[in-house]
């Protein structure tokens, strides 16, 4: 016989699994600090690659000028400036990633806690059903004997 | 009006029943129009610009998630441009990559915005973008909208500088000059920054206004957002920079956009503020300030559905109501009651009469009335229903205004349903709503 409450709980679990459950379970494989570090690492890589691309495009844009003035340019100053901008952008992204990752982890953790709670309820209902089924079988056997 | 609500109910029901098909069809339409537009603007590769290829690509893209749709569109642009100029094609892809690495990595689900924005801009109808995003997105949706504007102006810059492939072939050694021209056109174009700024301002205005706790917040925010957009376009696009903008056309387009978003809003949520209930009650841990707003719903004619299910008898009994009336009477009779002074004798008499004569409405599930509750929801809110009505009646005559109790909870938007101490997103509400036996959650899920 269909257990209404169990069906409802399972439906909710399934919907959660379908949408956010997969991501949350991935996050749950890490401790919070590890997850935050991983996200920061991803940000560092992303920003570095993006910044390199932008630098290449700028160099391409000013290529003629650079070739003409190759001997006159103050490379130390240019390098320092590029590095300073890079560090600034990186710092901003690290802070943003830190906040975002922490927030996302905490949210997912809460969702997962509720999800596991629901799974526990489903398990309890299943156990109750099993117990009732066993009782029925025993009664049936007794009746037959 | 009821006819409209019936149509709305029918369309909503249809959408709910066939949401996968509708979503796929809409995605297909979006991608088809985008590919058609792209083939017209940068259709350098005749093979890729054919109707069959576009159709196949649109069908393929329609079944992909939004982030991959953007990837397919970027690949299409790359393949079209590589026929004309390898350097330009690589540049465009690099700009896409930079946008992804810096911004879009954090919003993988906003792919549709990035595709729809340049499409609407190219159709001369960019006004709907900020209004729609402001109404249904969040403040961070500024980023994909701005990226969409960049894509539009990038493609326009490419189109302006690459005239024909024959000319390009004749000037093969001019690739670097072409690259510089395209970047000049893109980065030194004030129109792009104006459009991005207007998008950002309108989205911020709409998002902030619609979050204010007031009646008709969505409609007001939509109207104000449209006004701000028109003013911004007039000031920035006409007086400060010449964007070749016809004011009449722009105003007309903005108003049409407002109409479109309003229709979307109508289907999204219609709330009847005239019947809103503001009630307050408390339990051991919290004070609750609740705004209950019934949705306007119209039942579409349906076939008879026979439900075979168990039914529990847990309706609020008469005993509860009687005890509530008694409690209220004793409270009114109590001399130490601080609110007693504010009640006149006539008010108290009328109240007693009302309580005695008007029975409490049936709190059983009523399919016609969906109630949106804000503020922390009490466990056992149903059992306290008679108290709600009494307190709300008292509030109605100015007796129990919360003058002596400070609000402990932050005011929340009328649309949210808070169940926990902290705000939770809608999906979470859907997944983890407290279980009840009356099948209310089943209705929501369905």
């Amino acid at each position: 016989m269909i257990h209404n409450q169990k069906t409802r709980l399972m439906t909710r679990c399934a919907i959660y699994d379908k949408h956010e459950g997969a991501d949350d379970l991935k996050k749950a494989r890490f401790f919070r600090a590890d997850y935050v570090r991983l996200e920061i690492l991803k940000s560092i890589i992303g920003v570095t690659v993006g910044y390199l691309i932008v630098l290449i495009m700028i160099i391409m844009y000013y290529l003629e000028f650079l070739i003409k003035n190759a001997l006159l340019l103050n490379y130390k100053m240019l390098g320092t400036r590029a590095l300073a901008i890079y560090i600034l952008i990186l710092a901003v992204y690290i802070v943003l990633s830190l906040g975002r990752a922490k927030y996302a982890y905490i949210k997912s953790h809460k969702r997962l806690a509720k999800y596991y709670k629901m799974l526990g309820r489903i398990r309890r209902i299943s156990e109750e059903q099993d117990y009732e089924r066993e009782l029925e079988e025993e009664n049936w056997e007794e009746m037959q004997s | 009006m009821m006819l409209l609500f019936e149509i709305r109910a029918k369309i909503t029901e249809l959408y709910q029943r066939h949401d996968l098909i509708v979503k796929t069809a809409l995605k297909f339409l979006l991608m088809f129009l985008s590919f058609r537009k792209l083939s017209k603007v940068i259709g350098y590769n005749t093979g890729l610009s054919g109707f069959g290829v576009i159709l196949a690509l649109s069908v393929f893209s329609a079944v992909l998630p939004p982030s991959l749709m953007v990837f397919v569109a970027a690949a299409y642009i790359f393949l079209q441009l590589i026929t004309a100029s390898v350097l330009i094609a690589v540049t465009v892809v690099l700009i896409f990559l930079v946008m992804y690495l810096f911004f879009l990595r954090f919003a993988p689900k906003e792919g549709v915005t990035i595709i729809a924005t340049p499409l609407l801009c190219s159709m001369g109808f960019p006004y709907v973008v900020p209004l729609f995003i402001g109404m249904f997105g969040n403040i961070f949706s500024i980023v994909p909208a701005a990226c969409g504007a960049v894509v539009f102006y990038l493609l326009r810059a490419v189109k302006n500088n690459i005239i024909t492939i024959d000319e390009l072939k004749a000037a093969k050694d001019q690739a670097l000059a072409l690259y510089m021209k395209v970047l000049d056109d893109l980065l030194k174009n004030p129109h792009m920054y104006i459009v991005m700024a207007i998008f950002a301002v309108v989205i911020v205005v709409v998002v902030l206004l619609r979050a204010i706790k007031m009646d008709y917040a969505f409609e007001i925010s939509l109207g104000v957002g449209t006004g701000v957009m028109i003013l911004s376009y007039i000031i920035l696009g006409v007086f400060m920079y010449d964007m070749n903008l016809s004011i009449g056309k722009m105003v007309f387009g903005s108003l049409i956009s407002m109409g479109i978003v309003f229709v979307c809003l109508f289907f999204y949520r219609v709330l009847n503020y005239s019947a809103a209930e503001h009630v307050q009650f408390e339990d051991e841990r919290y004070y609750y300030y609740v705004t209950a707003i019934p949705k306007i719903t119209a039942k579409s004619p349906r076939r008879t559905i026979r439900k075979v299910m168990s039914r529990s008898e847990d309706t609020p009994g008469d005993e509860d109501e009687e005890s509530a009336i008694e409690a209220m009477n004793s409270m009114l009779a109590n001399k130490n009651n601080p609110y007693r002074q504010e009640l006149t004798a006539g008010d108290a008499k009328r109240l007693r009469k009302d309580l005695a004569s008007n029975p409490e409405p049936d709190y059983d599930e009523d399919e016609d009335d969906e109630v949106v509750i804000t503020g922390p929801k009490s466990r056992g809110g149903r059992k306290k229903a008679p108290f709600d009505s009494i307190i709300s009646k008292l509030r109605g005559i100015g007796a129990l205004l919360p003058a002596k109790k400070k609000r402990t909870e932050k005011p929340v938007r009328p649309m949210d349903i808070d169940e926990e101490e902290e705000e939770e997103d809608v999906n979470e509400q859907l997944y983890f709503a407290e279980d009840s036996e009356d099948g209310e959650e089943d209705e929501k899920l369905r």
Side-chain angles (χ1 to χ4, degrees):
Chain A
M1 195 173 154
I2 294 170
H3 196 291
N4 282 348
Q5 195 185 1
K6 191 182 170 188
T7 313
R8 275 203 289 273
L9 287 169
M10 286 195 298
T11 312
R12 274 179 221 146
C13 282
I15 294 171
Y16 171 71
D17 269 342
K18 192 180 164 190
H19 293 284
E20 286 166 328
D23 277 351
D24 288 351
L25 285 169
K26 271 183 200 169
K27 282 174 196 157
R29 286 186 304 183
F30 300 97
F31 287 111
R32 192 174 80 179
D34 290 342
Y35 176 73
V36 170
R37 278 183 208 133
L38 183 71
E39 285 298 303
I40 290 174
L41 187 68
K42 277 183 194 171
S43 271
I44 291 172
I45 293 168
V47 168
T48 308
V49 173
Y51 190 73
L52 279 175
I53 292 169
V54 173
L55 269 185
I56 290 167
M57 288 174 75
I58 292 171
I59 290 169
M60 287 278 286
Y61 187 78
Y62 292 107
L63 196 59
E64 281 185 23
F65 175 80
L66 290 173
I67 291 167
K68 275 180 191 170
N69 302 294
L71 299 172
L72 304 170
L73 288 171
N74 185 352
Y75 289 105
K76 195 178 172 184
M77 189 266 289
L78 283 175
T80 315
R81 196 175 284 179
L83 198 67
I85 294 169
Y86 170 66
I87 289 169
L88 190 72
I89 295 172
L90 199 62
V92 170
Y93 268 83
I94 285 173
V95 171
L96 286 177
S97 300
L98 184 80
R100 187 174 169 273
K102 260 189 178 179
Y103 179 75
Y105 190 88
I106 290 168
K107 290 290 273 186
S108 78
H109 198 72
K110 279 183 181 173
R111 282 195 296 263
L112 267 181
K114 287 178 184 174
Y115 176 64
Y116 285 133
K117 199 176 156 189
M118 284 206 300
L119 287 183
R121 285 165 71 186
I122 292 169
R123 199 194 64 216
R124 275 199 298 278
I125 293 168
S126 302
E127 282 171 0
E128 280 171 17
Q129 281 182 324
D130 288 344
Y131 179 67
E132 282 169 11
R133 209 173 292 137
E134 279 174 18
L135 276 180
E136 276 176 17
E137 281 173 10
E138 280 175 14
N139 287 341
W140 177 249
E141 281 169 8
E142 279 176 14
M143 278 170 71
Q144 277 189 332
S145 63
Chain B
M1 196 66 183
M2 283 310 289
L3 182 71
L4 272 177
F5 290 135
E6 273 183 17
I7 294 168
R8 168 181 174 258
K10 268 183 190 172
I11 294 175
T12 311
E13 196 182 329
L14 264 177
Y15 176 75
Q16 282 171 349
R17 207 177 285 171
H18 309 288
D19 66 328
L20 190 66
I21 296 167
V22 175
K23 276 181 188 168
T24 311
L26 286 174
K27 275 157 75 175
F28 167 78
L29 192 69
L30 174 72
M31 292 309 285
F32 182 74
L33 289 174
S34 299
F35 284 130
R36 284 288 288 176
K37 201 76 194 172
L38 282 172
S39 66
K40 276 181 188 169
V41 176
I42 50 166
Y44 302 115
N45 189 330
T46 47
L48 281 171
S49 305
F51 184 79
V53 177
I54 288 172
L55 198 67
L57 276 172
S58 307
V59 171
F60 175 65
S61 308
V63 293
L64 294 175
S67 51
L68 284 178
M69 279 162 64
V70 179
F71 178 77
V72 172
Y76 184 79
I77 292 168
F78 176 75
L79 290 173
Q80 285 279 15
L81 288 177
I82 206 164
T83 316
S85 165
V86 177
L87 189 59
I88 294 298
V90 172
T91 305
V92 170
V93 168
L94 286 181
I95 288 171
F96 274 123
L97 199 60
V98 168
M99 282 197 297
Y100 172 75
L101 289 171
F102 277 112
F103 308 114
L104 303 177
R105 200 157 54 86
F106 303 109
K109 291 173 186 171
E110 301 275 4
V112 174
T113 311
I114 301 159
I115 295 171
T117 306
L119 177 68
L120 288 165
C121 287
S122 65
M123 289 160 80
F125 208 68
Y127 317 105
V128 77
V129 175
L131 291 176
F132 192 88
I133 290 172
M135 196 54 66
F136 302 108
N138 54 39
I139 211 153
F140 299 108
S141 306
I142 293 172
V143 175
C147 288
V150 171
V151 172
F152 169 68
Y153 282 100
L154 175 67
L155 294 177
R156 189 185 247 194
V158 170
K159 188 197 172 190
N160 289 346
N161 287 290
I162 302 176
I163 299 144
T164 59
I165 298 177
D166 294 335
E167 282 180 16
L168 269 177
K169 280 177 183 168
K172 253 189 176 176
D173 53 338
Q174 297 295 314
L176 200 62
L178 185 67
Y179 166 80
M180 287 170 73
K181 268 186 192 175
V182 169
L183 279 193
D184 271 343
D185 251 19
L186 178 70
L187 299 173
K188 292 177 181 171
N189 184 359
H191 298 177
M192 182 179 79
Y193 300 110
I194 290 170
V195 169
M196 284 164 74
I198 292 172
F199 278 12
V201 169
V202 175
I203 290 170
V204 168
V205 166
V206 175
V207 168
L208 290 182
L209 276 180
R210 75 156 207 231
I212 294 174
K213 193 186 174 189
M214 61 179 175
D215 292 354
Y216 302 107
F218 275 63
E219 288 80 2
I220 291 169
S221 65
L222 182 60
V224 174
T226 312
V228 168
M229 185 164 66
I230 291 170
L231 272 179
S232 310
Y233 268 112
I234 289 172
I235 294 169
L236 291 171
V238 178
F239 292 126
M240 290 179 73
Y241 300 93
D242 185 22
M243 281 180 75
N244 295 327
L245 209 65
S246 157
I247 294 178
K249 206 174 167 184
M250 184 269 294
V251 172
F252 182 71
S254 300
L255 292 177
I256 292 283
S257 305
M258 190 177 78
I260 292 169
V261 177
F262 187 78
V263 170
C264 295
L265 190 64
F266 177 73
F267 282 102
Y268 181 68
R269 180 179 284 140
V270 176
L271 301 169
N272 180 9
Y273 285 89
S274 58
E277 289 280 350
H278 302 277
V279 288
Q280 62 180 69
F281 46 93
E282 65 183 88
D283 64 5
E284 293 84 10
R285 292 179 66 190
Y286 298 108
Y287 292 112
Y288 298 91
Y289 298 89
V290 179
T291 307
I293 303 165
K295 283 181 180 174
I296 295 174
T297 52
K299 260 190 173 178
S300 57
R302 291 171 72 178
R303 287 175 192 166
T304 313
I305 297 168
R306 184 178 293 168
K307 287 182 182 176
V308 182
M309 56 197 290
S310 63
R311 187 173 174 177
S312 59
E313 295 292 328
D314 58 349
T315 54
D318 291 335
E319 287 176 15
D320 284 350
E321 184 148 346
E322 282 168 16
S323 64
I325 292 168
E326 277 173 22
M328 207 62 241
N329 284 333
S330 65
M331 202 181 99
L332 291 169
N334 186 5
K335 286 178 185 177
N336 297 326
N337 179 10
Y339 304 110
R340 192 173 178 272
Q341 293 169 359
E342 293 174 41
L343 273 174
T344 62
D347 286 338
K349 197 177 173 185
R350 202 180 311 129
L351 179 70
R352 281 200 192 97
K353 200 178 170 186
D354 283 350
L355 289 172
S357 61
N358 296 334
E360 196 58 27
D362 190 10
Y363 279 83
D364 269 357
E365 58 179 303
D366 186 352
E367 288 179 4
D368 287 339
D369 291 330
E370 291 178 45
V371 179
V372 180
I373 299 171
T374 63
K377 189 178 167 186
S378 74
R379 298 169 186 175
R382 282 180 170 240
K383 288 179 183 172
K384 293 198 174 215
F387 285 106
D388 289 355
S389 69
I390 293 160
I391 293 168
S392 63
K393 276 170 186 167
L394 282 171
R395 266 194 99 203
I397 58 172
L400 275 181
L401 284 173
K404 298 188 179 179
K405 291 175 186 174
K406 287 182 181 175
R407 291 180 76 120
T408 52
E409 294 291 332
K410 201 178 162 187
V412 289
R413 282 170 46 205
M415 295 75 203
D416 293 339
I417 303 174
D418 280 5
E419 197 164 302
E420 297 291 323
E421 292 173 43
E422 294 177 23
E423 280 188 20
E424 291 179 351
D425 56 344
V426 178
N427 289 338
E428 206 170 325
Q429 290 284 340
L430 185 66
Y431 308 144
F432 304 120
E434 281 291 319
D435 192 33
S436 64
E437 293 293 336
D438 56 14
E440 191 181 339
E441 276 74 34
D442 285 352
E443 286 294 321
K444 280 184 192 171
L445 288 169
R446 191 152 64 81

